[in-house]
Amino acid sequence: MTRHLFDGTGTLIRFVLRRDRLRLPIWLVSFAAISAIVALAFVGLYQNAEERQAMAETMRNPAMTAMVGPGYGLDNYTVGAMTAHEMLLMTAGVVGLMNILLVIRHTRTDEEDGRIELVRSLPVGRLSNLSSTLLVMAGANIVLALLTAFSLVALGVESVDLQGSLVYGFALGAAGLVFAGVAAVCAQLSPNARNALGLSIAILLLAYMVRAIGDVTNETLSWLSPLGWILRSEAYVNNYWWPILLTFAGALLLMALALYLNSIRDLGSGFLPSRAGKAKAARSLLSPFGLVFRLQRTGFIAWSAGLLLIGASYGSVLGDLESFFEDIDLMQQMIVQSEGFSLTEQFIPVLMAVMAILGTIPVLMAVLKLKTEEKNDRLEHILSRSVSRNHVLGSYLAMAVLTGFVMLSLAALGLGLVGNAMMEEQLPLGMFYGSALAYLPAMFAMIGVAVLLLGWAPNLTGAVWLYLAFSFFVIYLGGLFQFPEWVGKLTPFGYVSEIPIEEMNYLNAAMLTVVAIILTAIGITGFNRRDIGR
């Protein structure tokens, strides 16, 4: 009987790999490449032990502990210890996100779209779909661990040895497997894909917050978070394997629970009850924008809270910024040196650039939601009514613009309010707000690129994410790698005024807005001319 539950698993594994033949390699190579690039950058930035120890001193701070985890190897801060300490937690969080997205895609999303019902009509076992997905993710995380480890070893850095690299790589793989298990369980509990994804990401964020609070206040609390477990591996310093084995064991328990829940529930149902809807729809749903906002309300609120917290987190370190970073070459290269401004004022544009690019993620998600609705055959139902294509697309554009404004506003408020509370000499809150809103035209330009692709090449809309990643790399790390100025001008964020150390360049802002309008108009034209549907 047990054997029949898993019939056809091998065939479905090949099917999952076929569907993710581009996604998985891009994810895996990106993680390995970023880890290697950062380690190599540290080698060039810190030429001797004295410079590394200066950076280690900045890590002996509760705010930094909350952000990257407890310090280890700080008395002998080698390149390996620095890479693991400053990169492991953040990379593990993104690895966890990758696993969540892929597991939900192949489980609850396929179930919601009717694919699993179609698959089950064939001679396959009841648990074959979920087990094939989990096995693929297990293999992907193992490949990720090995690829990352050998990429780091290949650098030939003295302190980046094979054992430490394997510990670092498998810590990432173990974290990924845990959140693959979390997503698999949430897919059984939630009645639809959106709730499953939201619950999984909420657990990931909760794991990060619990670990942050525990690392700062009570280490016992950190043991409630799998992200806290992997940090205890102390790669390149003590190279403990038992936290990684503990994380793997937790992942196996979660996967076993997911398989059991899948075996006892009906197809299309979830264990968490669906909330009863209202007897009458709200008047806002009578308009396309009202519907768009309702569909994206949960994500909008979650991203708003996230940007506010990120701003507050950055603000918490502003008070000690002068004493921490004034003698560190890394920070001197990341900021624009300007006479007459404090180091804090010079560092604010760097923080704003990071938060603006992060805030562009929900902005692009808001406008590209239209493609999802089209792909799932829901857009045709709306257009069959007396609603024009321009009205529908305009509603998604309005949602994207609203999202960008709110994200920048909350990030600025979080940074300004908490930063002023931490600093002896306060800065005007309006300065923080103006520094953030200076990025709004750049967001408009990114929206224009997304609409252009949506109108003329909907199958290539994923390219806008690559462009955003390129923008982050160029803007955030351009100073470190000393890129020529023209490279920064390849992205709209390179034309943004760095307030407060620069005056607002209204000409650049106007040019970005005009470019955004032109791209959007061309995209709308293509959207009106092309066929709707798959």
Side-chain angles (χ1 to χ4, degrees):
M1 179 64 180
T2 302
R3 179 177 63 84
H4 294 304
L5 291 175
F6 298 95
D7 284 351
T9 298
T11 302
L12 290 178
I13 287 176
R14 293 192 296 273
F15 181 55
V16 172
L17 291 173
R18 175 71 175 78
R19 293 177 63 193
D20 286 344
R21 64 190 182 278
L22 293 179
R23 283 183 177 86
L24 272 178
I26 290 174
W27 276 108
L28 300 182
V29 172
S30 297
F31 284 123
I34 290 173
S35 297
I37 289 172
V38 170
L40 200 58
F42 284 156
V43 174
L45 292 170
Y46 302 96
Q47 302 292 334
N48 52 56
E50 289 75 16
E51 293 182 355
R52 292 194 296 270
Q53 286 306 124
M55 188 62 182
E57 292 304 313
T58 69
M59 296 295 148
R60 303 180 190 273
N61 173 269
M64 301 307 296
T65 299
M67 291 177 67
V68 301
Y72 57 88
L74 296 181
D75 294 330
N76 182 24
Y77 211 41
T78 63
V79 172
M82 180 184 296
T83 300
H85 179 215
E86 299 182 24
M87 289 296 297
L88 179 58
L89 177 62
M90 296 300 178
T91 309
V94 183
V95 171
L97 180 62
M98 174 197 77
N99 281 266
I100 288 172
L101 293 174
L102 293 177
V103 169
I104 297 299
R105 162 181 161 84
H106 291 291
T107 54
R108 179 53 78 170
T109 300
D110 279 354
E111 188 170 338
E112 195 172 289
D113 292 341
R115 296 191 188 97
I116 293 182
E117 185 177 7
L118 179 62
V119 169
R120 282 196 184 180
S121 66
L122 302 172
V124 299
R126 184 181 182 89
L127 301 180
S128 298
N129 186 78
L130 179 58
S131 60
S132 64
T133 300
L134 294 177
L135 286 172
V136 168
M137 297 315 303
N141 283 285
I142 292 173
V143 171
L144 168 66
L146 294 173
L147 187 61
T148 302
F150 290 126
S151 297
L152 290 169
V153 172
L155 298 177
V157 180
E158 182 180 356
S159 58
V160 182
D161 56 7
L162 178 60
Q163 183 179 1
S165 298
L166 288 173
V167 170
Y168 181 87
F170 276 94
L172 293 178
L177 277 178
V178 161
F179 288 103
V182 167
V185 172
C186 292
Q188 313 311 312
L189 298 177
S190 302
N192 55 61
R194 186 175 62 180
N195 288 353
L197 181 62
L199 181 59
S200 301
I201 294 178
I203 293 174
L204 174 61
L205 295 176
L206 180 63
Y208 181 88
M209 294 177 63
V210 168
R211 178 220 51 83
I213 296 172
D215 286 345
V216 173
T217 60
N218 185 353
E219 187 176 356
T220 304
L221 190 60
S222 298
W223 288 100
L224 299 178
S225 168
L227 294 178
W229 302 348
I230 62 167
L231 292 179
R232 270 62 187 176
S233 61
E234 300 185 2
Y236 299 113
V237 179
N238 293 312
N239 294 324
Y240 295 130
W241 281 95
W242 63 266
I244 297 174
L245 297 176
L246 174 65
T247 310
F248 273 122
L252 290 175
L253 289 175
L254 287 170
M255 291 178 181
L257 175 60
L259 289 169
Y260 170 72
L261 294 176
N262 193 27
S263 68
I264 62 174
R265 74 172 178 88
D266 294 330
L267 187 66
S269 66
F271 287 95
L272 296 178
S274 299
R275 187 176 62 179
K278 297 180 180 179
K280 295 183 178 180
R283 291 185 60 85
S284 60
L285 293 179
L286 294 175
S287 68
F289 178 78
L291 177 61
V292 169
F293 183 83
R294 176 64 183 85
L295 291 175
Q296 303 188 35
R297 182 178 62 185
T298 302
F300 177 79
I301 294 173
W303 276 101
S304 298
L307 264 295
L308 181 64
L309 288 175
I310 290 173
S313 299
Y314 283 144
S316 67
V317 304
L318 290 184
D320 298 320
L321 205 62
E322 298 281 349
S323 59
F324 282 165
F325 295 154
E326 60 184 0
D327 298 323
I328 299 177
D329 291 340
L330 170 66
M331 304 312 299
Q332 301 298 330
Q333 294 182 55
M334 289 179 64
I335 61 179
V336 176
Q337 300 295 324
S338 300
E339 294 184 2
F341 294 93
S342 67
L343 184 61
T344 301
E345 290 175 307
Q346 295 176 64
F347 197 60
I348 285 174
V350 177
L351 300 178
M352 284 300 180
V354 173
M355 291 189 291
I357 294 176
L358 287 176
T360 306
I361 296 175
V363 170
L364 295 178
M365 291 174 64
V367 70
L368 293 179
K369 178 69 174 175
L370 178 62
K371 181 190 173 185
T372 303
E373 296 299 302
E374 180 182 1
K375 180 180 177 181
N376 293 328
D377 296 328
R378 292 190 286 264
L379 182 59
E380 291 183 1
H381 294 291
I382 297 176
L383 295 176
S384 65
R385 306 282 180 172
S386 56
V387 180
S388 68
R389 294 190 184 193
N390 287 340
H391 197 175
V392 172
L393 181 54
S395 299
Y396 283 91
L397 282 173
M399 184 66 196
V401 171
L402 173 64
T403 301
F405 177 78
V406 172
M407 297 302 130
L408 291 175
S409 299
L410 292 177
L413 288 175
L415 180 65
L417 292 175
V418 177
N420 279 335
M422 296 295 175
M423 292 186 294
E424 294 182 2
E425 297 183 6
Q426 296 187 354
L427 298 172
L429 189 60
M431 183 273 294
F432 289 97
Y433 197 64
S435 180
L437 290 187
Y439 284 89
L440 196 58
M443 283 188 171
F444 292 161
M446 294 299 295
I447 293 173
V449 173
V451 175
L452 178 68
L453 294 173
L454 194 62
W456 291 95
N459 292 330
L460 298 179
T461 51
V464 74
W465 297 113
L466 295 177
Y467 188 39
L468 184 64
F470 168 77
S471 300
F472 177 82
F473 184 78
V474 169
I475 298 301
Y476 185 55
L477 299 177
L480 298 181
F481 293 100
Q482 299 180 347
F483 292 144
E485 184 178 355
W486 64 267
V487 175
K489 301 301 182 181
L490 297 177
T491 167
F493 295 96
Y495 295 88
V496 176
S497 302
E498 296 183 333
I499 299 173
I501 62 176
E502 293 180 357
E503 293 292 332
M504 179 64 183
N505 190 325
Y506 291 100
L507 178 60
N508 281 356
M511 289 176 56
L512 286 174
T513 304
V514 170
V515 169
I517 292 173
I518 293 173
L519 292 176
T520 302
I522 296 173
I524 291 175
T525 301
F527 184 71
N528 280 306
R529 294 181 62 179
R530 70 173 177 87
D531 293 333
I532 297 296
R534 296 173 186 265

